[in-house]
Amino acid sequence: MQFIALIYSTPGSEPPYGTPEFDAFMQGYFALTAKLKSDGAFIAGEGLKPVQTATSVRLRGGKVETMDGPFAETKEHLGGFYLFKAETLEAAIAYAAMVPSVAWGSVELRPVMEY
């Protein structure tokens, strides 16, 4: 079964870029990626640029509407994702718990529809 782990955190809650704390934080992501790959579970994973770079797209009355930024205002922002394979929800939760941002943000774990 495939799962997506959507990584949310509050801006400013993670270690600042360019600090030793940030480097250690990123090592956690590199370790998780290596673990998923060595387990044969990794499909994809990336960080996202800041929410200010987002464009929301809607179709209303047959016309495409765009809006800068996210559609919904939230305290936590989507910062990245992992797409991976796991045999059970429990196994997927174990991987999600390894995401470094889970310490101060949250990881929304969802099964992927396979058509």
Side-chain angles (χ1 to χ4, degrees):
M1 182 178 330
Q2 292 183 4
F3 289 88
I4 191 163
L6 301 170
I7 304 165
Y8 291 92
S9 63
T10 303
S13 65
E14 296 171 347
Y17 178 77
T19 64
E21 294 81 12
F22 180 81
D23 293 342
F25 166 69
M26 289 305 296
Q27 286 303 314
Y29 277 103
F30 300 146
L32 174 55
T33 301
K35 168 90 172 126
L36 288 166
K37 287 180 177 180
S38 71
D39 289 353
F42 184 83
I43 298 170
E46 294 295 342
L48 301 175
K49 291 193 176 188
V51 70
Q52 297 86 343
T53 66
T55 300
S56 294
V57 180
R58 300 187 291 183
L59 185 63
R60 299 293 184 268
K63 295 182 181 179
V64 175
E65 297 177 0
T66 61
M67 176 173 50
D68 290 342
F71 179 70
E73 290 292 325
T74 61
K75 185 176 179 182
E76 291 186 327
H77 296 173
L78 178 61
F81 71 94
Y82 277 101
L83 180 63
F84 57 86
K85 296 179 278 187
E87 293 295 321
T88 65
L89 176 59
E90 291 74 22
I93 290 170
Y95 285 133
M98 294 180 203
V99 174
S101 295
V102 79
W104 47 79
S106 63
V107 174
E108 179 183 347
L109 188 60
R110 296 176 71 177
V112 174
M113 296 290 291
E114 297 185 48
Y115 294 103

